[in-house]
Amino acid sequence: LWVARTLSEWAGSPIRVTAPPVIVPLVAAAGGLWLCIWRTRWRHLGWAGPVVAVVLTLNTVPPSLLISGDGRLAAARGEDGSLTLSSTVRGRFAAESWRRYTGASRTKPWSADDGQGLRCDKLGCTAQVGRIVLAVAEDARSHEEDCRRADILISRVPIRQPCTGPSQIIGPRELRRGGAHAVWRMGEGVRVETVRDRRGNRPWVVKFEHKRQ
């Protein structure tokens, strides 16, 4: 406790980092065990575990975009380390969890004058991440424009019209099945990962069954 209090009082002691992958604590623990178990000189090889864990943590890339499981909240991570939210009223618990997960320095609302291509209206929100255009549709009336302009479309309402423009469409069915979505920018494309992807196919994971309306 004394060490914790002392270190917390040092200038610059808190460092915000993105939540590392599961392999990081495993590597650190393996290195620590190696140091504790062996008594000969080769036990010092165990220092590689914590060193590798720190390197992996500092090089973990946070997602560029986050979408809540109900589609009511979306967030884009800015180049300055901030997290821009589509709403500061909805999903406050999710927003705080995202801030900690991504290591964001602060959160702010999407607006039309922030110079980052983020804007919202009554029909939904749009964001420009590099060359990728994200649209979050709150109302079906925005589908015509979103299907024409967006590369990734997240819609809280079913899409009843042909929509061939976006390379990735995340509708109500995908949100119910996968839960929250995270999107990484990968060069000219994107990588999408869901909560269900992280959980995997395990006995305690609820099976999704699509029911016709």
Side-chain angles (χ1 to χ4, degrees):
L1 291 176
W2 176 83
V3 171
R5 284 195 297 267
T6 302
L7 293 178
S8 66
E9 293 172 356
W10 289 0
S13 57
I15 301 175
R16 300 185 185 277
V17 296
T18 304
V22 178
I23 190 64
V24 169
L26 296 179
V27 169
L33 288 173
W34 186 278
L35 281 168
C36 294
I37 291 174
W38 302 109
R39 301 179 60 184
T40 55
R41 289 184 178 180
W42 68 342
R43 71 187 179 92
H44 292 291
L45 293 174
W47 288 109
V51 171
V52 171
V54 170
V55 172
L56 290 175
T57 299
L58 295 178
N59 286 277
T60 300
V61 179
S64 303
L65 302 166
L66 290 159
I67 305 98
S68 65
D70 57 5
R72 292 170 58 85
L73 181 68
R77 195 174 193 278
E79 295 181 359
D80 60 352
S82 63
L83 197 65
T84 307
L85 304 172
S86 62
S87 173
T88 56
V89 178
R90 302 172 180 172
R92 292 182 178 179
F93 178 79
E96 178 61 20
S97 299
W98 289 351
R99 186 185 68 80
R100 295 177 181 273
Y101 170 71
T102 60
S105 56
R106 61 192 178 96
T107 58
K108 59 182 181 180
W110 286 12
S111 63
D113 57 355
D114 60 3
Q116 297 187 42
L118 307 173
R119 64 183 181 85
C120 289
D121 55 30
K122 294 181 180 180
L123 301 182
C125 299
T126 59
Q128 179 92 29
V129 182
R131 297 182 179 180
I132 301 169
V133 177
L134 166 75
V136 181
E138 298 275 353
D139 192 295
R141 290 175 293 176
S142 69
H143 286 163
E144 182 177 355
E145 181 181 357
D146 293 338
C147 289
R148 186 174 64 254
R149 297 181 60 249
D151 299 301
I152 301 176
L153 172 59
I154 298 100
S155 179
R156 293 187 58 220
V157 294
I159 301 174
R160 305 296 187 186
Q161 64 184 57
C163 190
T164 58
S167 60
Q168 185 85 26
I169 298 177
I170 303 172
R173 182 174 183 270
E174 287 75 21
L175 291 171
R176 288 197 304 271
R177 180 176 184 176
H181 285 59
V183 181
W184 281 264
R185 185 175 60 185
M186 307 292 290
E188 297 296 327
V190 295
R191 177 172 68 88
V192 180
E193 187 174 287
T194 68
V195 170
R196 184 175 179 85
D197 294 334
R198 284 290 185 94
R199 289 176 176 173
N201 187 19
R202 295 181 171 89
W204 55 85
V205 177
V206 177
K207 303 296 183 183
F208 173 80
E209 295 182 0
H210 180 62
K211 297 180 179 180
R212 296 181 178 271
Q213 300 294 332

